[in-house]
Amino acid sequence: MWNSYLQFSTKEHQIMVLSMAIPAPPPETVFIGGLPLGAIEAIKLAYGAVVQILDPPKDGYNLTIKLNLSKLPTDEEKRHALLVKIASVREVVLGAPLRVVLKHLQSRTVAPDIDRLVALVHRPKESFFLLPQAEKVTVVFPMRFKDNIDTVLATSFLQEFVEARRTAGLNNAPPCLWSPSPPLELRGAPIQALTANAGFVTFVIFPRHVESRKLDRTVWSLSSFHAYVSYHVKCSEGFMHTRMRRRVESLIEALDRAKPDVEKSKKTAHGRSFKRRA
């Protein structure tokens, strides 16, 4: 579970201390000092002088940072962008190894001392995988959902997602594939990582997808991909529930209109009934 603990000082209103606990990593992932590879460097790069990393972190947490809000940019647009990035610290930390790999892809190299298959945590005890190469990086997401309805909707959504990539207007987007079984890129991955009730999604990232400012957008999109799919699955489920309720209401109204009108009768004091004539 991703837990956060926020502290403010009554004396120093511009100082905020944020402590974070990272989801329990699966055994195939590699953490250094309780954090993903490159997390410290990613935080320094993202926040600059606004953030100070406290060592050791607060007990029970993986990371504690001190934010000095008085050092926020004076420009309104830049200030807003940095505040959004602070609110997205989860993606900055968990997406750090992905940034390291894609940064090397910019220069068409592979990060030294890195495994052939890299596992990155993105959900409690769940990971997705990178296959780094000099000319491309293959990213594979095992898609898992707890609810059976969510699984069916996600499977349908992902198949349509892959089909949409083939339209003419998306020729420059990364190639995308979906398969119900583990792709060949996951050879050597642990058995427990090869089970996915909604199949496997594969993206192929080329150097053109990480040029200049595209790097940040690509890291964000991949780091939050599962959340993106979950959001649309829940929206689809809510939309169908709304349509079904409206359909039931319209059927009930139709049945009410089909009922014959029963003319009301009145009774006298002696129990005899009579009908009032106009």
Side-chain angles (χ1 to χ4, degrees):
M1 185 67 70
W2 180 275
N3 294 322
S4 300
Y5 183 80
L6 195 60
Q7 292 175 285
F8 281 97
S9 172
T10 56
K11 296 180 179 179
E12 299 177 287
H13 300 288
Q14 298 293 328
I15 300 298
M16 181 176 69
V17 178
L18 178 63
S19 298
M20 294 159 290
I22 295 175
E28 64 268 16
T29 58
V30 177
F31 272 33
I32 300 174
L35 293 172
L37 173 69
I40 298 297
E41 292 76 10
I43 292 171
K44 293 178 179 178
L45 178 64
Y47 307 121
V50 176
V51 166
Q52 176 187 354
I53 299 173
L54 302 183
D55 190 21
K58 182 179 175 64
D59 290 342
Y61 295 87
N62 301 82
L63 176 69
T64 298
I65 57 177
K66 182 178 180 181
L67 298 100
N68 189 342
L69 302 181
S70 65
K71 294 185 178 181
L72 289 172
T74 55
D75 181 76
E76 187 65 27
E77 186 175 343
K78 292 181 179 179
R79 174 189 289 258
H80 180 265
L82 186 54
L83 288 174
V84 170
K85 194 172 289 187
I86 291 173
S88 308
V89 65
R90 176 184 185 273
E91 279 67 32
V92 171
V93 174
L94 294 183
L98 178 60
R99 174 178 287 276
V100 171
V101 172
L102 295 183
K103 190 73 174 174
H104 280 81
L105 179 62
Q106 283 183 328
S107 56
R108 290 176 167 77
T109 60
V110 177
D113 302 326
I114 199 166
D115 296 334
R116 184 195 72 85
L117 188 65
V118 182
L120 305 183
V121 62
H122 68 135
R123 287 160 54 85
K125 299 182 180 179
E126 291 187 20
S127 55
F128 67 100
F129 297 88
L130 307 180
L131 186 67
Q133 295 175 279
E135 296 297 327
K136 65 180 181 180
V137 173
T138 305
V139 186
V140 182
F141 288 90
M143 303 301 293
R144 304 180 182 94
F145 294 86
K146 294 181 180 179
D147 186 80
N148 290 335
I149 295 177
D150 289 355
T151 302
V152 173
L153 291 175
T155 301
S156 177
F157 174 83
L158 291 170
Q159 290 172 336
E160 291 295 328
F161 184 86
V162 171
E163 287 298 320
R165 163 61 182 82
R166 298 174 183 174
T167 58
L170 297 175
N171 290 332
N172 292 327
C176 178
L177 300 171
W178 177 87
S179 63
S181 56
L184 295 177
E185 287 83 1
L186 292 187
R187 284 179 299 180
I191 298 297
Q192 66 271 14
L194 300 180
T195 56
N197 54 10
F200 298 80
V201 180
T202 302
F203 293 98
V204 182
I205 310 299
F206 292 102
R208 69 175 184 271
H209 299 130
V210 293
E211 293 172 348
S212 186
R213 295 182 179 180
K214 291 182 181 179
L215 176 63
D216 288 338
R217 190 186 315 162
T218 302
V219 171
W220 171 267
S221 299
L222 292 174
S223 298
S224 58
F225 178 69
H226 196 288
Y228 168 83
V229 175
S230 297
Y231 169 79
H232 284 280
V233 166
K234 291 302 182 184
C235 287
S236 300
E237 189 173 349
F239 175 75
M240 286 190 293
H241 286 171
T242 301
R243 289 292 301 272
M244 286 189 291
R245 282 194 295 269
R246 290 177 180 173
R247 181 61 176 164
V248 169
E249 290 171 358
S250 66
L251 289 174
I252 292 174
E253 290 175 358
L255 289 173
D256 287 341
R257 288 193 298 268
K259 289 180 181 179
D261 292 332
V262 179
E263 192 173 8
K264 295 182 180 179
S265 62
K266 295 186 177 182
K267 291 185 177 182
T268 65
H270 298 288
R272 297 179 181 179
S273 60
F274 72 94
K275 295 180 180 178
R276 186 186 299 272
R277 293 183 180 274

